[in-house]
Amino acid sequence: MLSHAVAALRCPVCQGRLQLREVQQRTLACEAGHLFDAAKQGYFNLLTGKGTVFEADSADMVAARHRFLDAGHYSGLSQALASAAAGPLHHPDALVLDAGTGTGHYLHAVLQMSGATGIGVDISKFALRRAARLNAQAANLVWDIWRPLPVADNAVDVVTVVFAPRNPAEFARVLRPGGSLIVVTPRPGHLAEIAARTGMLGIEEGKEERLAESMKGYFDPGVSQILDLPLLLSGQEVADLAYMGPAGHHLHRGELAELATFKGPVSTTAKFRISEFAAA
Ligand SMILES: C[S@@+](CC[C@H](N)C(=O)[O-])C[C@H]1O[C@@H](n2cnc3c(N)ncnc32)[C@H](O)[C@@H]1O
Ligand SMILES: [Zn+2]
Protein backbone atom coordinates (compact mmCIF):
# COMPACT_ATOMS: atom_id res chain seq x y z
CA MET A 1 0.00 0.00 0.00
CA LEU A 2 1.41 3.40 -0.88
CA SER A 3 2.48 5.56 2.04
CA HIS A 4 0.27 8.56 1.37
CA ALA A 5 -2.80 6.34 1.30
CA VAL A 6 -1.79 5.14 4.78
CA ALA A 7 -1.13 8.73 5.91
CA ALA A 8 -4.77 9.58 5.14
CA LEU A 9 -6.20 6.72 7.22
CA ARG A 10 -7.52 7.15 10.76
CA CYS A 11 -8.15 4.55 13.44
CA PRO A 12 -11.89 3.73 13.49
CA VAL A 13 -11.74 3.32 17.30
CA CYS A 14 -9.78 6.41 18.47
CA GLN A 15 -9.32 8.46 15.26
CA GLY A 16 -5.53 8.38 15.75
CA ARG A 17 -3.14 8.07 12.80
CA LEU A 18 -2.60 4.57 11.46
CA GLN A 19 0.76 3.17 10.41
CA LEU A 20 1.81 -0.04 8.72
CA ARG A 21 3.79 -2.24 11.10
CA GLU A 22 6.19 -5.12 10.66
CA VAL A 23 8.39 -6.04 7.78
CA GLN A 24 5.60 -7.47 5.64
CA GLN A 25 3.49 -4.40 6.34
CA ARG A 26 0.44 -6.52 7.06
CA THR A 27 -0.81 -4.77 10.20
CA LEU A 28 -2.26 -1.28 10.53
CA ALA A 29 -1.74 0.11 14.03
CA CYS A 30 -2.48 3.37 15.83
CA GLU A 31 -0.48 4.78 18.76
CA ALA A 32 -3.12 3.62 21.24
CA GLY A 33 -2.47 0.04 20.13
CA HIS A 34 -5.56 -0.73 18.07
CA LEU A 35 -4.47 -3.31 15.50
CA PHE A 36 -5.96 -4.35 12.16
CA ASP A 37 -4.40 -7.26 10.31
CA ALA A 38 -4.56 -7.63 6.55
CA ALA A 39 -6.63 -10.50 5.21
CA LYS A 40 -4.75 -13.06 3.13
CA GLN A 41 -5.76 -11.21 -0.06
CA GLY A 42 -4.43 -7.90 1.30
CA TYR A 43 -7.52 -5.91 2.28
CA PHE A 44 -8.08 -4.61 5.83
CA ASN A 45 -11.28 -5.10 7.80
CA LEU A 46 -11.66 -1.95 9.91
CA LEU A 47 -15.24 -2.68 11.01
CA THR A 48 -15.29 -3.09 14.75
CA GLY A 49 -17.98 -3.94 17.25
CA LYS A 50 -21.40 -5.12 16.25
CA GLY A 51 -21.71 -6.18 12.62
CA THR A 52 -23.73 -3.97 10.33
CA VAL A 53 -27.32 -4.92 9.53
CA PHE A 54 -26.63 -4.32 5.86
CA GLU A 55 -26.77 -7.33 3.56
CA ALA A 56 -23.40 -7.35 1.78
CA ASP A 57 -23.05 -8.65 -1.78
CA SER A 58 -22.42 -12.40 -1.77
CA ALA A 59 -19.47 -14.20 -3.40
CA ASP A 60 -21.72 -15.29 -6.30
CA MET A 61 -22.98 -11.75 -6.90
CA VAL A 62 -19.42 -10.46 -6.88
CA ALA A 63 -18.35 -13.20 -9.32
CA ALA A 64 -21.17 -12.19 -11.70
CA ARG A 65 -20.10 -8.54 -11.44
CA HIS A 66 -16.51 -9.45 -12.15
CA ARG A 67 -17.40 -11.58 -15.22
CA PHE A 68 -19.63 -8.88 -16.68
CA LEU A 69 -17.28 -5.93 -16.09
CA ASP A 70 -14.20 -7.88 -17.14
CA ALA A 71 -15.82 -8.59 -20.52
CA GLY A 72 -15.59 -4.83 -21.15
CA HIS A 73 -19.29 -4.02 -21.67
CA TYR A 74 -19.01 -0.93 -19.47
CA SER A 75 -15.49 0.12 -20.48
CA GLY A 76 -16.94 3.33 -22.00
CA LEU A 77 -18.10 4.23 -18.50
CA SER A 78 -14.71 3.44 -16.91
CA GLN A 79 -13.00 5.73 -19.40
CA ALA A 80 -15.51 8.57 -18.99
CA LEU A 81 -15.27 8.34 -15.19
CA ALA A 82 -11.46 8.28 -15.27
CA SER A 83 -11.42 11.37 -17.53
CA ALA A 84 -13.85 13.21 -15.23
CA ALA A 85 -11.67 12.38 -12.21
CA ALA A 86 -8.35 13.29 -13.86
CA GLY A 87 -8.51 17.08 -13.28
CA PRO A 88 -8.13 17.29 -9.48
CA LEU A 89 -5.74 14.31 -9.53
CA HIS A 90 -2.96 16.10 -11.39
CA HIS A 91 -0.41 16.31 -8.61
CA PRO A 92 2.14 13.83 -7.27
CA ASP A 93 0.36 12.89 -4.00
CA ALA A 94 -3.13 12.76 -5.45
CA LEU A 95 -5.57 10.53 -3.59
CA VAL A 96 -8.93 9.18 -4.70
CA LEU A 97 -11.49 7.41 -2.52
CA ASP A 98 -13.91 5.01 -4.23
CA ALA A 99 -16.99 4.49 -2.05
CA GLY A 100 -18.61 1.08 -2.62
CA THR A 101 -15.63 0.05 -4.76
CA GLY A 102 -16.97 -3.48 -5.39
CA THR A 103 -14.41 -5.45 -7.36
CA GLY A 104 -12.32 -2.29 -7.80
CA HIS A 105 -13.06 -2.17 -11.53
CA TYR A 106 -13.74 1.57 -11.81
CA LEU A 107 -11.09 2.59 -9.27
CA HIS A 108 -8.60 0.65 -11.39
CA ALA A 109 -9.43 2.76 -14.47
CA VAL A 110 -9.13 5.99 -12.46
CA LEU A 111 -5.75 4.98 -11.00
CA GLN A 112 -4.45 3.86 -14.40
CA MET A 113 -5.33 7.13 -16.10
CA SER A 114 -4.29 9.51 -13.31
CA GLY A 115 -1.36 7.75 -11.61
CA ALA A 116 -3.04 8.68 -8.28
CA THR A 117 -3.19 6.53 -5.15
CA GLY A 118 -6.48 4.98 -4.14
CA ILE A 119 -8.58 4.07 -1.13
CA GLY A 120 -11.34 1.57 -1.89
CA VAL A 121 -14.13 1.08 0.64
CA ASP A 122 -16.80 -1.61 0.55
CA ILE A 123 -18.86 -3.56 3.04
CA SER A 124 -18.48 -6.85 1.16
CA LYS A 125 -15.29 -8.77 1.89
CA PHE A 126 -15.98 -10.92 -1.17
CA ALA A 127 -15.80 -7.81 -3.33
CA LEU A 128 -12.64 -6.60 -1.59
CA ARG A 129 -10.84 -9.90 -2.19
CA ARG A 130 -10.96 -9.06 -5.87
CA ALA A 131 -10.39 -5.33 -5.40
CA ALA A 132 -7.26 -6.01 -3.33
CA ARG A 133 -5.84 -8.15 -6.12
CA LEU A 134 -6.70 -5.68 -8.87
CA ASN A 135 -5.61 -2.52 -7.02
CA ALA A 136 -2.79 -3.92 -4.92
CA GLN A 137 -1.24 -0.49 -4.27
CA ALA A 138 -4.51 0.97 -2.96
CA ALA A 139 -5.81 0.76 0.60
CA ASN A 140 -8.78 -1.61 0.35
CA LEU A 141 -10.97 -1.36 3.44
CA VAL A 142 -14.02 -3.22 4.68
CA TRP A 143 -16.13 -0.39 6.00
CA ASP A 144 -19.73 0.82 6.16
CA ILE A 145 -20.26 4.05 4.23
CA TRP A 146 -23.01 5.04 6.70
CA ARG A 147 -20.45 5.29 9.50
CA PRO A 148 -17.82 8.05 9.83
CA LEU A 149 -15.14 7.10 7.29
CA PRO A 150 -11.74 6.03 8.72
CA VAL A 151 -10.10 8.84 6.74
CA ALA A 152 -8.65 12.22 7.83
CA ASP A 153 -10.35 15.57 7.12
CA ASN A 154 -9.42 17.27 3.81
CA ALA A 155 -7.24 14.32 2.79
CA VAL A 156 -8.77 13.26 -0.52
CA ASP A 157 -8.81 14.97 -3.95
CA VAL A 158 -11.68 13.02 -5.52
CA VAL A 159 -14.44 10.77 -4.16
CA THR A 160 -16.07 8.46 -6.72
CA VAL A 161 -19.36 6.61 -6.15
CA VAL A 162 -20.50 4.21 -8.86
CA PHE A 163 -23.96 2.70 -8.14
CA ALA A 164 -23.25 2.68 -4.42
CA PRO A 165 -24.59 4.44 -1.29
CA ARG A 166 -23.70 8.09 -0.68
CA ASN A 167 -22.89 9.79 2.61
CA PRO A 168 -22.61 13.48 1.59
CA ALA A 169 -21.55 14.75 5.05
CA GLU A 170 -18.64 12.30 5.24
CA PHE A 171 -17.62 12.80 1.60
CA ALA A 172 -17.51 16.58 2.23
CA ARG A 173 -15.40 16.11 5.37
CA VAL A 174 -12.71 13.94 3.74
CA LEU A 175 -12.49 15.98 0.51
CA ARG A 176 -9.94 18.78 0.36
CA PRO A 177 -11.13 22.29 -0.64
CA GLY A 178 -11.35 22.28 -4.44
CA GLY A 179 -11.77 18.51 -4.55
CA SER A 180 -14.65 16.88 -6.34
CA LEU A 181 -17.28 14.23 -5.78
CA ILE A 182 -18.22 12.21 -8.88
CA VAL A 183 -21.38 10.13 -8.78
CA VAL A 184 -22.46 7.61 -11.44
CA THR A 185 -26.16 6.71 -11.49
CA PRO A 186 -28.44 4.92 -13.96
CA ARG A 187 -30.98 7.01 -15.90
CA PRO A 188 -34.62 6.20 -16.71
CA GLY A 189 -34.66 3.57 -19.47
CA HIS A 190 -31.40 1.96 -18.25
CA LEU A 191 -31.38 -1.64 -19.56
CA ALA A 192 -35.14 -1.27 -20.13
CA GLU A 193 -35.37 -4.23 -22.54
CA ILE A 194 -34.15 -6.70 -19.94
CA ALA A 195 -35.19 -5.06 -16.65
CA ALA A 196 -38.74 -6.40 -16.77
CA ARG A 197 -37.59 -9.97 -17.47
CA THR A 198 -35.00 -10.05 -14.71
CA GLY A 199 -36.66 -8.51 -11.67
CA MET A 200 -34.39 -5.45 -11.89
CA LEU A 201 -36.09 -2.32 -10.61
CA GLY A 202 -36.89 0.34 -13.16
CA ILE A 203 -35.21 3.72 -12.70
CA GLU A 204 -37.75 6.29 -11.59
CA GLU A 205 -37.93 9.79 -13.01
CA GLY A 206 -36.69 12.56 -10.73
CA LYS A 207 -33.66 10.62 -9.50
CA GLU A 208 -31.31 13.37 -10.65
CA GLU A 209 -33.24 16.01 -8.73
CA ARG A 210 -33.19 13.84 -5.61
CA LEU A 211 -29.44 13.36 -5.95
CA ALA A 212 -28.90 17.14 -6.18
CA GLU A 213 -31.26 17.68 -3.23
CA SER A 214 -29.34 15.18 -1.05
CA MET A 215 -26.09 17.08 -1.70
CA LYS A 216 -27.45 20.49 -0.66
CA GLY A 217 -25.47 22.14 2.10
CA TYR A 218 -22.45 19.95 1.38
CA PHE A 219 -21.84 20.25 -2.37
CA ASP A 220 -22.62 22.55 -5.28
CA PRO A 221 -23.64 20.84 -8.53
CA GLY A 222 -21.05 20.93 -11.31
CA VAL A 223 -20.83 19.35 -14.76
CA SER A 224 -23.25 16.52 -15.43
CA GLN A 225 -22.86 14.31 -18.51
CA ILE A 226 -24.95 11.50 -19.89
CA LEU A 227 -23.56 8.36 -21.46
CA ASP A 228 -25.44 5.71 -23.44
CA LEU A 229 -23.78 2.35 -24.15
CA PRO A 230 -25.55 0.02 -26.61
CA LEU A 231 -25.11 -3.62 -25.57
CA LEU A 232 -25.61 -6.98 -27.27
CA LEU A 233 -25.75 -9.64 -24.56
CA SER A 234 -25.87 -13.42 -24.35
CA GLY A 235 -28.27 -15.18 -21.96
CA GLN A 236 -25.45 -15.71 -19.47
CA GLU A 237 -24.54 -12.04 -19.62
CA VAL A 238 -28.15 -11.02 -18.99
CA ALA A 239 -28.17 -13.33 -15.95
CA ASP A 240 -24.90 -11.82 -14.68
CA LEU A 241 -26.22 -8.30 -15.14
CA ALA A 242 -29.37 -9.13 -13.16
CA TYR A 243 -27.43 -10.86 -10.42
CA MET A 244 -24.65 -8.29 -9.95
CA GLY A 245 -26.98 -5.46 -8.87
CA PRO A 246 -29.39 -4.96 -5.98
CA ALA A 247 -31.88 -7.43 -7.56
CA GLY A 248 -29.25 -10.12 -6.98
CA HIS A 249 -30.15 -10.25 -3.29
CA HIS A 250 -33.62 -11.52 -4.22
CA LEU A 251 -32.94 -13.78 -7.20
CA HIS A 252 -32.74 -17.52 -6.63
CA ARG A 253 -30.46 -19.94 -8.38
CA GLY A 254 -33.36 -21.50 -10.33
CA GLU A 255 -34.43 -18.13 -11.71
CA LEU A 256 -30.85 -17.36 -12.68
CA ALA A 257 -30.41 -20.66 -14.48
CA GLU A 258 -33.58 -19.86 -16.42
CA LEU A 259 -32.29 -16.41 -17.35
CA ALA A 260 -29.04 -17.90 -18.59
CA THR A 261 -30.99 -20.07 -21.07
CA PHE A 262 -32.33 -16.98 -22.87
CA LYS A 263 -31.44 -17.24 -26.49
CA GLY A 264 -29.10 -14.34 -27.06
CA PRO A 265 -28.17 -11.91 -28.27
CA VAL A 266 -30.45 -9.46 -26.47
CA SER A 267 -30.09 -5.86 -27.49
CA THR A 268 -30.38 -3.14 -24.84
CA THR A 269 -28.84 0.18 -23.81
CA ALA A 270 -27.10 1.09 -20.56
CA LYS A 271 -27.95 4.70 -19.68
CA PHE A 272 -25.73 6.47 -17.20
CA ARG A 273 -25.31 9.91 -15.74
CA ILE A 274 -21.95 11.11 -14.44
CA SER A 275 -22.57 13.99 -12.01
CA GLU A 276 -19.77 16.11 -10.59
CA PHE A 277 -20.10 18.08 -7.37
CA ALA A 278 -17.77 20.65 -5.82
CA ALA A 279 -17.40 21.06 -2.06
CA ALA A 280 -19.71 23.93 -0.98
C1 LIG B 1 -24.02 -2.19 -7.24
S1 LIG B 1 -22.48 -2.46 -6.41
C2 LIG B 1 -21.35 -1.35 -7.26
C3 LIG B 1 -19.89 -1.73 -7.05
C4 LIG B 1 -18.88 -0.95 -7.89
N1 LIG B 1 -18.88 0.47 -7.59
C5 LIG B 1 -19.15 -1.20 -9.34
O1 LIG B 1 -19.86 -0.40 -9.96
O2 LIG B 1 -18.70 -2.21 -9.87
C6 LIG B 1 -22.72 -1.66 -4.86
C7 LIG B 1 -21.57 -1.86 -3.94
O3 LIG B 1 -21.78 -1.09 -2.77
C8 LIG B 1 -21.43 -1.87 -1.66
N2 LIG B 1 -22.15 -1.35 -0.50
C9 LIG B 1 -23.48 -1.35 -0.31
N3 LIG B 1 -23.79 -0.76 0.86
C10 LIG B 1 -22.62 -0.38 1.43
C11 LIG B 1 -22.29 0.28 2.65
N4 LIG B 1 -23.22 0.65 3.52
N5 LIG B 1 -20.98 0.52 2.89
C12 LIG B 1 -20.03 0.15 2.01
N6 LIG B 1 -20.29 -0.48 0.83
C13 LIG B 1 -21.57 -0.74 0.56
C14 LIG B 1 -21.80 -3.29 -2.04
O4 LIG B 1 -21.11 -4.27 -1.28
C15 LIG B 1 -21.41 -3.32 -3.52
O5 LIG B 1 -20.08 -3.72 -3.73
ZN1 LIG C 1 -6.81 3.64 17.76
Side-chain angles (χ1 to χ4, degrees):
M1 200 193 306
L2 293 178
S3 58
H4 56 286
V6 178
L9 301 183
R10 290 295 177 268
C11 174
V13 181
C14 71
Q15 283 72 54
R17 287 174 186 277
L18 285 172
Q19 286 191 320
L20 277 172
R21 281 205 336 197
E22 298 162 10
V23 195
Q24 297 98 345
Q25 306 218 312
R26 295 192 63 83
T27 303
L28 282 169
C30 72
E31 284 203 341
H34 301 121
L35 302 177
F36 305 92
D37 292 331
K40 190 172 72 203
Q41 297 85 358
Y43 66 86
F44 289 87
N45 187 349
L46 299 191
L47 275 181
T48 52
K50 206 156 55 71
T52 172
V53 291
F54 184 83
E55 189 183 3
D57 287 1
S58 66
D60 285 350
M61 287 172 69
V62 169
R65 173 167 295 278
H66 175 70
R67 267 197 305 276
F68 186 84
L69 293 177
D70 214 42
H73 300 297
Y74 284 180
S75 62
L77 177 59
S78 312
Q79 292 312 300
L81 176 68
S83 302
L89 296 176
H90 267 151
H91 66 96
D93 290 339
L95 192 57
V96 53
L97 184 147
D98 188 27
T101 194
T103 58
H105 180 83
Y106 295 101
L107 179 59
H108 187 70
V110 170
L111 299 182
Q112 291 273 59
M113 193 181 283
S114 63
T117 301
I119 300 176
V121 173
D122 203 285
I123 205 157
S124 164
K125 61 180 192 297
F126 301 114
L128 284 183
R129 284 179 186 172
R130 293 187 186 266
R133 248 182 281 149
L134 185 61
N135 302 316
Q137 296 298 314
N140 291 289
L141 310 174
V142 179
W143 191 252
D144 181 354
I145 292 167
W146 299 119
R147 295 210 211 172
L149 297 170
V151 175
D153 296 356
N154 303 326
V156 170
D157 300 277
V158 172
V159 173
T160 52
V161 195
V162 186
F163 321 123
R166 299 177 286 272
N167 182 340
E170 275 300 288
F171 296 162
R173 180 183 66 77
V174 302
L175 271 171
R176 67 161 167 83
S180 78
L181 166 65
I182 308 179
V183 180
V184 177
T185 46
R187 300 189 345 268
H190 176 60
L191 306 173
E193 294 79 358
I194 60 175
R197 292 149 106 178
T198 56
M200 294 159 87
L201 292 179
I203 309 301
E204 337 81 89
E205 300 285 342
K207 207 175 159 81
E208 191 191 358
E209 290 73 13
R210 280 199 297 284
L211 171 62
E213 189 65 30
S214 71
M215 296 296 162
K216 271 198 182 141
Y218 300 105
F219 290 95
D220 294 326
V223 181
S224 154
Q225 49 171 314
I226 62 171
L227 179 70
D228 285 356
L229 299 177
L231 303 170
L232 210 52
L233 303 174
S234 68
Q236 179 62 51
E237 288 170 329
V238 170
D240 282 345
L241 198 47
Y243 202 44
M244 71 191 233
H249 290 294
H250 317 293
L251 282 170
H252 302 296
R253 279 183 191 279
E255 294 171 299
L256 278 176
E258 208 177 299
L259 282 178
T261 61
F262 268 169
K263 288 278 169 285
V266 182
S267 167
T268 186
T269 303
K271 296 180 176 242
F272 304 115
R273 180 178 305 280
I274 304 173
S275 309
E276 295 182 42
F277 296 88

